[in-house]
Amino acid sequence: MRGPSARTAAKSGPDDWRDAARRQEERHRRLAGRPPDPLNGPADRTFNPDAAPYLWATEYPWVAPDTFRIAGRSVLCIAGSGDVPLFFLSRGAARLAAVDVAHTACHVNELKRAALKTCRWEEFLRFFLGGERRAVGFLRDLGVPSDVDRNLEALVWDRLKPLVSASARAYWEARFHPEASPFSSLLRPTDLLCPDRMPLLADREEFERWKRSARPYPLFPCSLEAFLAGGTGEFDLVYGSNVLEYVRADFAASGDEGGYEAFLVALTRLLARTVTPGGTAGFYAFQGCGTAAFRERLSEFKILEEAGFSGSMVPLEIRSRYLSGTRWRHTLLMFQRR
């Protein structure tokens, strides 16, 4: 059954939304453990409930903030490291929900939102980055000490405990101890490549902007496609991060040549019933749109155009002053529903 119309959703109060969120979370728990289907892909997909979380975003949608018409709109996005949901809130999203198949990603989201809401900028930086070798130069340039401060770490954690769920509290409680940073083992090689390109870290005014808007938002430990299949209303913006790249790679690795096409067909149907007329489905690609390989992939998205979406590409260029001479070309794929 189709979710409520955009007009009905706009009239729904916060209690209505929270009730819907709780019902959806319970539904996903009941579905847990069922065999994979064309939406969920092969059983060994890269994304799984026990996957290690990202501590910091490896995508940079805020490089082109005007691409998203966010203010006053309802947004569904991937939870990830928590940076993207907080970015959408900072740009005035009226309603936001985040999903992630990795349960620990939800724990990172809870911790980061609570820390943003309660910490000063310097405190936030030291709490998450203190003692991290890759952040030394960045913190030094900001005039923030880069060494570990275990007393500060303990004080901040004591402040955050009451603000996160019981499951998130148990997860982080096991990681906070005097001998080691709770975050260092979670950092991946791609984390903190460009800390100066992350507004939350690099700009005090942006930090304060994000802080003012950092209200709690529903978190669902499930895949994007499972959430969409649940039919929890419509959204003006569905932002799928780089889910398409991961799913495509997983099907290719499993030797299932038709799996990705079936996935796109099913996902398109779900987007067509979830994205409001005039709304947008957006995805992030870690490729430049000028490459031959990327141009070849564009034919895959014809199905979205046939389903009533108009596609466009937004090229992004990311440079970091901490990696001299390097630059990354990424692309935002935006599909507006006609």
Side-chain angles (χ1 to χ4, degrees), residues 233-245:
E234 294 184 327
F235 290 88
D236 302 314
L237 171 63
V238 175
Y239 179 67
S241 186
N242 60 325
V243 162
L244 294 181
E245 289 188 331

Side-chain angles (χ1 to χ4, degrees), residues 193-229:
L193 287 176
C194 304
D196 55 312
R197 302 300 295 161
M198 299 181 67
L200 178 64
L201 299 177
D203 189 301
R204 186 192 297 268
E205 290 185 7
E206 276 297 295
F207 176 89
E208 293 298 333
R209 178 178 182 168
W210 289 35
K211 182 186 184 77
R212 289 191 297 271
S213 61
R215 65 182 185 274
Y217 50 90
L219 283 160
F220 299 99
C222 65
S223 65
L224 173 65
E225 54 270 24
F227 183 89
L228 294 175

Side-chain angles (χ1 to χ4, degrees), residues 53 79-80 102-113 164-172 219:
H103 294 179
T104 49
C106 296
H107 300 333
V108 172
N109 273 245
E110 288 193 58
L111 185 77
K112 191 171 288 184
R113 192 211 67 83
V164 300
S165 66
S167 57
R169 187 159 55 249
Y171 175 80
W172 290 113
L219 283 160

Side-chain angles (χ1 to χ4, degrees), residues 4-306:
S5 67
R7 184 174 297 175
T8 302
K11 292 181 179 178
S12 298
D15 290 337
D16 297 323
W17 173 239
R18 280 194 288 267
D19 288 343
R22 283 194 289 269
R23 290 196 301 273
Q24 184 70 1
E25 188 170 10
E26 285 301 319
R27 179 183 182 278
H28 292 146
R29 286 173 181 164
R30 291 196 302 272
L31 291 174
R34 290 192 179 183
D37 56 30
L39 281 174
N40 294 321
D44 59 347
R45 277 184 55 177
T46 302
F47 286 130
N48 63 77
D50 299 318
Y54 283 90
L55 190 59
W56 300 105
T58 54
E59 59 189 297
Y60 303 88
W62 38 78
V63 172
D66 294 337
T67 298
F68 306 96
R69 291 177 293 126
I70 301 170
R73 306 181 88 201
S74 56
V75 178
L76 172 66
C77 66
I78 303 298
S81 61
D83 301 300
V84 171
L86 290 169
F87 162 66
F88 284 138
L89 287 176
S90 77
R91 290 302 186 269
R95 180 170 67 105
L96 182 137
V99 303
D100 208 293
V101 73
H103 294 179
T104 49
C106 296
H107 300 333
V108 172
N109 273 245
E110 288 193 58
L111 185 77
K112 191 171 288 184
R113 192 211 67 83
L116 174 61
K117 199 65 181 175
T118 61
C119 289
R120 301 186 305 276
W121 183 51
E122 295 88 347
E123 207 174 33
F124 184 92
L125 291 171
R126 293 200 73 184
F127 179 67
F128 283 107
L129 301 181
E132 173 51 44
R133 178 181 53 82
R134 281 173 282 180
V136 170
F138 171 68
L139 293 176
R140 182 182 60 239
D141 290 347
L142 294 175
V144 177
S146 60
D147 58 312
V148 177
D149 186 336
R150 295 296 181 214
N151 289 330
L152 179 144
E153 194 175 86
L155 287 171
V156 171
W157 171 233
D158 283 343
R159 189 192 309 159
L160 302 184
K161 285 181 189 179
L163 304 179
V164 300
S165 66
S167 57
R169 187 159 55 249
Y171 175 80
W172 290 113
E173 192 72 66
R175 305 190 73 88
F176 278 96
H177 49 81
E179 291 76 26
S181 165
F183 309 118
S184 58
S185 63
L186 299 180
L187 286 171
R188 306 186 187 206
T190 50
D191 287 352
L192 291 179
L193 287 176
C194 304
D196 55 312
R197 302 300 295 161
M198 299 181 67
L200 178 64
L201 299 177
D203 189 301
R204 186 192 297 268
E205 290 185 7
E206 276 297 295
F207 176 89
E208 293 298 333
R209 178 178 182 168
W210 289 35
K211 182 186 184 77
R212 289 191 297 271
S213 61
R215 65 182 185 274
Y217 50 90
L219 283 160
F220 299 99
C222 65
S223 65
L224 173 65
E225 54 270 24
F227 183 89
L228 294 175
T232 308
E234 294 184 327
F235 290 88
D236 302 314
L237 171 63
V238 175
Y239 179 67
S241 186
N242 60 325
V243 162
L244 294 181
E245 289 188 331
Y246 269 101
V247 173
R248 189 175 191 270
D250 283 339
F251 277 115
S254 68
D256 185 352
E257 295 182 1
Y260 181 62
E261 182 179 352
F263 173 87
L264 274 181
V265 169
L267 181 64
T268 297
R269 289 173 181 161
L270 293 172
L271 290 172
R273 80 179 193 186
T274 303
V275 177
T276 58
T280 306
F283 297 93
Y284 197 94
F286 288 96
Q287 299 179 55
C289 57
T291 64
F294 190 88
R295 288 196 296 271
E296 288 178 6
R297 286 191 53 201
L298 292 180
S299 61
E300 298 173 355
F301 304 115
K302 185 177 180 181
I303 185 173
L304 279 162
E305 296 180 355
E306 293 172 348

